[in-house]
Amino acid sequence: MRRHRRRNKDANHDDHVARWRGLGFDIETTHDVGRGFPDTVVAVRLPRPLAGFTHVNVLVEIKSATGKLTDDQWKFAARWRGPIFQVSDVEDGVLRLQEFAAALVDVPVETPPCPSPSLPFPRDPSPSTAPTCAPPA
């Protein structure tokens, strides 16, 4: 049987978890699961119920601004069919999760100011997939 080593948390992990919980997100830390599984599972509230559900679960990989994905994380993402986001900035992560939830139920989201760049994890590393935003006034 293959043993997997205990994963270390990124330096900003606890800050993300605390701030997201403070904003009302349900979040479970999973950084110690290993084998490439993302750091957290976040229950994101939908703007309106979808098939009777009020929340959707999203896997979120928290990285520092210079953090790189491990080989195991790339392999996990290649075989996982559900949504996975990679975030390094709390506010940008919140915005992206809210936009994702709104898109699921086709509810428009007010165009926010441009957040720091963050890419979807990892299927499409193209910057063109970043959320649209309004330039600063």
Side-chain angles (χ1 to χ4, degrees):
M1 177 164 31
R2 180 181 161 200
R3 271 185 196 230
H4 56 273
R5 61 187 164 97
R6 183 176 169 91
R7 283 187 55 199
N8 294 323
K9 292 187 284 187
D10 284 277
N12 57 347
H13 179 95
D14 291 337
D15 182 49
H16 275 260
V17 171
R19 290 177 67 191
W20 287 10
R21 282 185 177 146
L23 292 169
F25 284 88
D26 291 331
I27 184 167
E28 188 65 35
T29 61
T30 53
H31 70 277
D32 56 354
V33 170
R35 297 188 322 173
F37 195 87
D39 294 324
T40 60
V41 178
V42 181
V44 181
R45 178 178 288 282
L46 297 169
R48 63 179 172 79
L50 178 64
F53 292 95
T54 59
H55 290 73
V56 62
N57 294 328
V58 178
L59 303 180
V60 178
E61 176 63 33
I62 299 170
K63 288 290 183 194
S64 65
T66 59
K68 303 280 188 222
L69 298 174
T70 66
D71 287 342
D72 281 346
Q73 289 169 332
W74 282 105
K75 289 174 187 173
F76 180 88
R79 68 181 183 269
W80 187 255
R81 296 185 186 270
I84 306 174
F85 288 89
Q86 177 183 340
V87 300
S88 59
D89 176 84
V90 174
E91 287 75 19
D92 183 44
V94 167
L95 171 67
R96 291 178 57 224
L97 291 174
Q98 289 172 333
E99 287 184 334
F100 174 75
L104 287 177
V105 294
D106 198 29
V107 172
V109 174
E110 182 179 325
T111 304
C114 290
S116 61
S118 183
L119 303 177
F121 173 93
R123 286 178 190 61
D124 185 3
S126 163
S128 65
T129 62
T132 56
C133 56

